[in-house]
Amino acid sequence: MKNGIWAVLIVFLAVLLLASASFYTVNQSQNALLMQFGQQIGVQKAPGLYLKWPVLQNVEYVDKRLQNYSPQPESFLTQDKKPLLLSYFAEWQVVNPGIYYARLHDQANAQTQIGDALRAALRSQIATMSMAMLIAARQQEISSPVMQAAGRHLSTFGIRLVDLRILQVGLPPELLQTTYKRMEAEQTQQANTYHSQGKADAEQIRASAEKEKTSILADAYRQQEQIKGQGDAEAASIYGDAYGKDPKFFAFYRSLEAYRHALSDKTVLVLNPDSPFFKYFRHSLNEAGK
């Protein structure tokens, strides 16, 4: 009786194992390759539960989601033979799992092929552009031809290149210091040129201003002399008219002007009392004595 029970259990387990080995599932992120003796005999792309022959057949899964390729920055030569350090990022997807598995088998080999294809396409494209063109270029001007060239090669492996982004364009570290020094020298030379030009312009402006100043002062002096001459002529005319009207009063007024200018607080005059200079003083004193 016990042997019968064990026999039933063994048969049940064998049937259970056989049944479990006869089914396989495919989820939304996978493609399933049905293999028989190492050969592909079918592909399941839709998610679900499927049957297979146990032992005779096995299933290989291929990821169908978007995957990325992001290497370390790599060096390329431009058209003008200048080394360039380029950082980029690519997205790819398996679109033909049968070809992909037959030729590459796994993701590591796929990454190697993608890297080789992108490097070759980038090297070819960058070799047609100068450094200045690369710096001024838009994203698609570089990525579009590279994607076309690399995409054609990768399609033979069942891979579709979805996107390529250029992250950074720069110089290798060993050339940065040299470039900085050259740029510094160029900027210093340009600054010296501007300084010299500014100094020359300043001298020219100062010379022009000095010339204009001299001209203005000369013109002002000329006008001053003209006005002074006119004033002297007018004063002489007034003096003449005054003298003609009353010569004695004119002589008296002129003597007072002379006294005012000559006899200040610090003036010392040594003159004979009979000097004509004291004419009106003597006249005043004589009148006072009377």
Side-chain angles (χ1 to χ4, degrees):
M1 183 67 180
K2 289 183 179 180
N3 291 335
I5 293 174
W6 279 110
V8 171
L9 286 175
I10 291 172
V11 170
F12 177 75
L13 289 174
V15 171
L16 187 62
L17 289 172
L18 186 64
S20 64
S22 300
F23 293 94
Y24 66 95
T25 59
V26 180
N27 63 38
Q28 293 181 345
S29 64
Q30 296 174 322
N31 290 317
L33 299 175
L34 187 61
M35 312 291 291
Q36 183 170 313
F37 303 118
Q39 300 294 322
Q40 298 179 27
I41 61 173
V43 178
Q44 293 295 341
K45 296 183 177 182
L49 182 66
Y50 298 94
L51 283 169
K52 67 179 181 66
W53 288 107
V55 182
L56 298 177
Q57 296 176 341
N58 65 294
V59 178
E60 297 290 345
Y61 294 99
V62 177
D63 199 329
K64 65 180 181 181
R65 294 172 296 183
L66 281 177
Q67 301 182 67
N68 64 74
Y69 176 78
S70 181
Q72 293 296 318
E74 299 179 22
S75 182
F76 300 91
L77 280 178
T78 63
Q79 186 183 44
D80 43 1
K81 305 303 179 184
K82 292 182 180 179
L84 177 74
L85 199 64
L86 194 71
S87 176
Y88 59 95
F89 171 87
E91 287 185 328
W92 58 279
Q93 184 179 32
V94 176
V95 292
N96 192 324
I99 296 176
Y100 172 84
Y101 185 81
R103 299 199 62 183
L104 299 175
H105 195 71
D106 59 25
Q107 191 179 32
N109 292 329
Q111 293 277 43
T112 300
Q113 286 295 332
I114 291 168
D116 292 343
L118 286 174
R119 274 190 294 273
L122 280 167
R123 188 174 296 110
S124 177
Q125 177 62 24
I126 291 173
T128 65
M129 305 175 72
S130 66
M131 178 70 78
M133 292 171 61
L134 282 165
I135 293 174
R138 292 178 298 176
Q139 177 79 226
Q140 291 187 346
E141 292 178 16
I142 304 174
S143 61
S144 293
V146 172
M147 284 188 63
Q148 291 176 7
R152 285 192 296 269
H153 175 74
L154 293 175
S155 64
T156 61
F157 295 95
I159 294 173
R160 179 170 70 92
L161 194 59
V162 178
D163 194 16
L164 174 65
R165 296 287 174 179
I166 306 300
L167 302 179
Q168 188 175 7
V169 177
L171 293 174
E174 61 272 14
L175 293 179
L176 280 176
Q177 196 65 27
T178 304
T179 302
Y180 289 152
K181 289 182 179 179
R182 187 177 70 251
M183 290 173 64
E184 182 180 1
E186 291 174 354
Q187 293 299 319
T188 301
Q189 182 179 2
Q190 189 173 12
N192 291 335
T193 301
Y194 287 151
H195 180 72
S196 299
Q197 183 64 41
K199 189 175 180 181
D201 290 345
E203 291 295 333
Q204 184 177 359
I205 291 170
R206 277 193 289 269
S208 178
E210 190 65 28
K211 182 179 178 182
E212 187 175 357
K213 170 189 171 183
T214 303
S215 176
I216 292 172
L217 288 175
D219 188 58
Y221 181 75
R222 179 181 56 80
Q223 293 181 15
Q224 172 191 329
E225 291 299 315
Q226 287 179 349
I227 294 171
K228 185 177 178 181
Q230 292 174 359
D232 290 343
E234 188 173 351
S237 175
I238 293 171
Y239 288 151
D241 291 344
Y243 181 77
K245 292 179 180 179
D246 192 342
K248 291 183 178 180
F249 178 76
F250 180 75
F252 175 70
Y253 175 76
R254 294 288 286 177
S255 295
L256 291 180
E257 286 289 309
Y259 296 156
R260 183 169 65 86
H261 290 292
L263 301 176
S264 63
D265 293 338
K266 297 181 181 180
T267 302
V268 177
L269 293 176
V270 180
L271 296 172
N272 191 324
D274 296 330
S275 173
F277 186 74
F278 295 113
K279 173 184 177 182
Y280 291 101
F281 281 101
R282 289 199 304 273
H283 178 74
S284 298
L285 291 173
N286 292 334
E287 290 295 327
K290 291 179 180 180

